Amino acid sequence: MFEQTFKNIDDVLWKEAGCTTELDYTEQTSWLLFLKYLDDLEQERALEAELAGKPYEFIIDEAHRWSSWAAPKKADGTFDHDNALIGDDLIDYVNRKLFPYLQSFKQRATSPDTIEYKIGEIFSEIKNRFQSGYSLRDALEYIDELRFRSQQEKHELSHLYEAKIKNMGNAGRNGGEYYTPRPLIRAIIQVVKPKIGDRIYDGACGSAGFLCESYDYLRRGKLTTKELDILQKHTFTGKEKKSLAYVIAIMNMILHGIDAPNIIHTNTLTENLSDIQDKNRFDVILANPPFGGKERKEVQQNFPIKTGETAFLFLQHFIKILKMGGKAAVVIKNTFLSNSDNASRALRQELLSSCNLHTILDCPSGTFIGAGVKTVVLFFEKGKPFDSVQGTPLFSQGKPLTQGMATQKIWYYQLDPGRSLGKTNALNDEDLREFVEFQATCAESEKSWLVDIADVDWATFDLSVKNPNKAEESTLREPQEILDEIAALDAESAEILAGIGGML
């Protein structure tokens, strides 16, 4: 129903000089969609209040409502071209009046979890990239065709928006930071099996793919009014550092059905682990934290295991903030399993001792477009009633190593879709069906096997993937995969050299 409208909007953005990449397209579509959604929501609430004989106080004042500046209508409901702003007048209004007005909501909001605060936050972090008021007018008229009134309409819009996020992820290295393949997310959720009442958390939520797919998973079947309220208001928490991803995450969750998403714009890693209390902990953690990034020394001071690698800091954060008995699935680059540096070794030791690392999914090259590295998914549960992140690890308490580990056996699965993955040949749900099926019983096969914790090398805690059920093969890598890895290594080398240069 709305697919052609989205194509028309993309055509407008493609011609707009201020928008040059898929990231720009998604950003500009997002703020326009948000304002249209907000207007539909307010109109719906005003109508409900009127039917109940109650007054309704609009969030947005009349002069700045969608129906005033974006899509003025005549008495018969048709578009009022005579009173619609256009050209330089439209750009001037948006930049000088609309955005400053919306930004002011952040200061006026009563608390960060209100929709008023979200409005202020969003429009403080993004900017209007339209330079032509004529292009913006065309985009506004297309956006006005969209409707957010029914669940069916929201469902269709969410699929179209997901496709836009996927295109952004495929556009290059920066876009790929925000996109985790949805078939992989769905398989992870089927293994973790969250339930109504669980508090679900992603501390590096990007476009909120894990949270949106979790909502879709939990929304299946008939739910009571109380369960729906729990799902809407008390289930999902996301944190995101980057402005564009924060805006996309909020819009993505709104389109999936969460009216006021609890997405917090913050750098999760600046939180001190010692400040986390039981009330702050979560039942389920699902995340794909950024890897390859570097954090400053003052940020590293928040963690017992000091490292500049962003993903390793996030893993410590997740272990700490997970409830006792809570379940987690975290995507991380596969070198974490075998790196010999002190931080990697200590973190593996920490994970095995404080959590039951029961499953490792080994993902093939090309799972993440443009990432240039292979990844694994770690599935674990918070172990014994002892918080070893802030205290003495269990294996240092004089107990035998095997007793001091919450992990006793690890089930590995080597995902092999039987083809090279890439932009035009992405991972799909069928590729992961066997993994989900086998994981339920930890079945052994040519692609899966069990490792006893007693057989792990205690000197290195090496957990690298070595399939004992499959003969070694010499595989030829795709040229693009090699080029992607070279680019990733070049970027890491440049960062290291820059750091050395700064010390000289």
Side-chain angles (χ1 to χ4, degrees), residues 166 181 183-184 363-364 366-367 415 417 419 421-422 425-429 431-432:
K166 184 177 181 180
L184 178 61
C363 299
T367 299
L415 183 62
R419 65 185 192 282
L421 300 177
N425 202 6
L427 203 65
N428 60 51
D429 290 301
D431 293 329
L432 289 143

Side-chain angles (χ1 to χ4, degrees), residues 453-469:
I453 197 67
D455 297 329
V456 170
D457 186 332
W458 300 113
T460 64
F461 287 93
D462 189 324
L463 301 175
S464 55
V465 179
K466 300 182 182 78
N467 187 346
N469 302 333

Side-chain angles (χ1 to χ4, degrees), residues 446-498:
E446 189 179 289
K447 297 179 183 177
S448 57
W449 63 98
L450 277 165
V451 171
D452 195 294
I453 197 67
D455 297 329
V456 170
D457 186 332
W458 300 113
T460 64
F461 287 93
D462 189 324
L463 301 175
S464 55
V465 179
K466 300 182 182 78
N467 187 346
N469 302 333
K470 193 174 183 180
E472 288 290 325
E473 295 178 357
S474 178
T475 57
L476 296 175
R477 300 166 69 196
E478 292 291 321
Q480 188 58 50
E481 179 192 338
I482 296 169
L483 290 171
D484 286 344
E485 185 167 344
I486 290 171
L489 292 170
D490 284 347
E492 288 185 20
S493 299
E495 286 181 12
I496 293 168
L497 289 172

Side-chain angles (χ1 to χ4, degrees), residues 197-203 211 234-239 262 264 271 276-286 317-328 382:
D198 284 343
R199 294 179 65 225
I200 301 173
Y201 173 69
D202 184 349
L211 301 180
H234 308 292
T235 299
F236 304 103
T237 299
K239 294 175 184 173
N262 186 26
I264 302 160
E271 299 172 23
I276 295 173
Q277 302 172 23
D278 279 341
K279 65 179 181 179
N280 307 124
R281 293 189 165 96
F282 295 88
D283 303 285
V284 174
I285 293 173
L286 305 167
H317 171 81
F318 293 143
I319 293 170
K320 174 69 175 181
I321 209 167
L322 187 62
K323 272 186 180 177
M324 201 60 60
K327 299 183 286 187
K382 191 72 168 279

Side-chain angles (χ1 to χ4, degrees), residues 16 74 91 99 150 154 159 162 169 199 215 240 262 264 297 335 350 355 371-372 396 405 416 422 476:
E16 170 56 46
K74 296 178 183 176
I91 296 296
F99 268 59
S150 71
K154 283 186 180 181
H159 277 284
E162 282 281 354
R199 294 179 65 225
Y215 175 81
E240 176 51 46
N262 186 26
I264 302 160
K297 291 286 185 185
T335 52
E350 169 61 37
C355 300
S396 299
M405 295 290 172
D416 180 12
L476 296 175

Side-chain angles (χ1 to χ4, degrees), residues 7-207:
K7 287 179 180 177
N8 292 338
I9 294 166
D10 279 348
D11 286 342
V12 171
L13 290 165
W14 184 74
K15 297 169 189 172
E16 170 56 46
C19 301
T20 56
T21 69
E22 285 282 355
L23 275 71
D24 295 333
Y25 297 176
T26 308
E27 177 189 48
Q28 297 307 294
T29 305
S30 296
W31 74 260
L32 293 172
L33 277 173
F34 181 79
L35 291 180
K36 179 62 171 70
Y37 159 79
L38 190 60
D39 189 67
D40 277 12
L41 179 67
E42 293 231 79
Q43 296 297 340
E44 188 177 332
R45 287 180 176 176
L47 181 60
E48 288 172 358
E50 184 181 341
L51 292 172
K54 297 178 182 177
Y56 177 74
E57 187 176 340
F58 280 82
I59 299 169
I60 306 293
D61 67 31
E62 190 170 356
H64 297 97
R65 279 177 216 155
W66 182 269
S67 52
S68 296
W69 69 273
K73 301 289 197 305
K74 296 178 183 176
D76 62 0
T78 59
F79 196 90
D80 187 356
H81 288 279
D82 294 332
N83 289 311
L85 292 170
I86 198 165
D88 292 341
D89 291 340
L90 179 56
I91 296 296
D92 189 65
Y93 165 76
V94 168
N95 292 340
R96 293 177 180 272
K97 294 181 181 177
L98 180 65
F99 268 59
Y101 166 74
L102 296 171
Q103 288 162 4
S104 69
F105 275 78
K106 189 173 179 179
Q107 285 71 44
R108 291 186 277 143
T110 54
S111 71
D113 59 357
T114 60
I115 195 165
E116 288 86 353
Y117 188 89
K118 301 296 181 193
I119 293 168
E121 184 97 274
I122 286 171
F123 288 93
S124 296
E125 297 300 336
I126 63 172
K127 66 178 183 177
N128 168 41
R129 295 188 186 276
F130 282 92
Q131 296 176 7
S132 165
Y134 298 98
S135 294
L136 178 54
R137 169 52 56 202
D138 288 342
L140 289 169
E141 292 185 22
Y142 287 130
I143 292 283
D144 193 55
E145 296 174 6
L146 304 175
R147 294 288 179 271
F148 297 85
R149 301 292 171 87
S150 71
Q151 281 301 322
Q152 183 180 351
E153 288 169 335
K154 283 186 180 181
H155 185 69
E156 183 181 351
L157 284 167
S158 72
H159 277 284
L160 292 167
Y161 194 68
E162 282 281 354
K164 183 170 282 293
I165 298 170
K166 184 177 181 180
N167 289 339
M168 184 182 75
N170 290 345
R173 186 178 173 85
N174 292 333
E177 293 176 17
Y178 311 132
Y179 189 77
T180 304
R182 295 321 185 235
L184 178 61
I185 291 178
R186 286 191 286 271
I188 288 170
I189 292 169
Q190 288 172 51
V191 168
V192 174
K193 294 183 177 67
K195 60 186 184 299
I196 300 287
D198 284 343
R199 294 179 65 225
I200 301 173
Y201 173 69
D202 184 349
C205 69
S207 61

Side-chain angles (χ1 to χ4, degrees), residues 174-367:
N174 292 333
E177 293 176 17
Y178 311 132
Y179 189 77
T180 304
R182 295 321 185 235
L184 178 61
I185 291 178
R186 286 191 286 271
I188 288 170
I189 292 169
Q190 288 172 51
V191 168
V192 174
K193 294 183 177 67
K195 60 186 184 299
I196 300 287
D198 284 343
R199 294 179 65 225
I200 301 173
Y201 173 69
D202 184 349
C205 69
S207 61
F210 278 105
L211 301 180
C212 290
E213 290 291 344
S214 296
Y215 175 81
D216 289 347
Y217 175 85
L218 292 169
R219 188 67 182 80
R220 294 170 189 166
K222 289 186 178 181
L223 302 181
T224 65
T225 303
K226 183 179 180 181
E227 287 173 331
L228 286 169
D229 187 67
I230 290 170
L231 205 52
Q232 277 282 340
K233 300 176 182 176
H234 308 292
T235 299
F236 304 103
T237 299
K239 294 175 184 173
E240 176 51 46
K241 175 182 177 181
K242 296 193 175 181
S243 302
L244 175 56
Y246 167 77
V247 174
I248 291 169
I250 287 180
M251 196 66 240
N252 203 16
M253 290 198 74
I254 284 171
L255 289 174
H256 276 78
I258 303 292
D259 291 337
N262 186 26
I263 306 294
I264 302 160
H265 189 209
T266 183
N267 181 359
T268 304
L269 299 180
T270 59
E271 299 172 23
N272 197 312
L273 291 198
S274 60
D275 294 335
I276 295 173
Q277 302 172 23
D278 279 341
K279 65 179 181 179
N280 307 124
R281 293 189 165 96
F282 295 88
D283 303 285
V284 174
I285 293 173
L286 305 167
N288 175 17
F291 39 80
K294 301 295 176 186
E295 283 293 344
R296 302 183 309 275
K297 291 286 185 185
E298 58 267 31
V299 172
Q300 295 180 40
Q301 295 309 309
N302 295 324
F303 298 87
I305 299 172
K306 307 290 186 291
T307 172
E309 169 56 60
T310 310
F312 295 179
L313 297 177
F314 267 109
L315 188 54
Q316 291 181 70
H317 171 81
F318 293 143
I319 293 170
K320 174 69 175 181
I321 209 167
L322 187 62
K323 272 186 180 177
M324 201 60 60
K327 299 183 286 187
V330 179
V331 181
I332 200 164
K333 59 182 179 181
N334 71 343
T335 52
F336 163 72
L337 300 177
S338 57
N339 279 352
S340 58
D341 61 282
N342 291 337
S344 299
R345 190 167 62 249
L347 187 50
R348 290 195 296 271
Q349 204 170 10
E350 169 61 37
L351 179 62
L352 293 171
S353 67
S354 61
C355 300
N356 174 21
L357 176 63
H358 56 82
T359 299
I360 295 178
L361 171 63
D362 180 38
C363 299
S365 297
T367 299

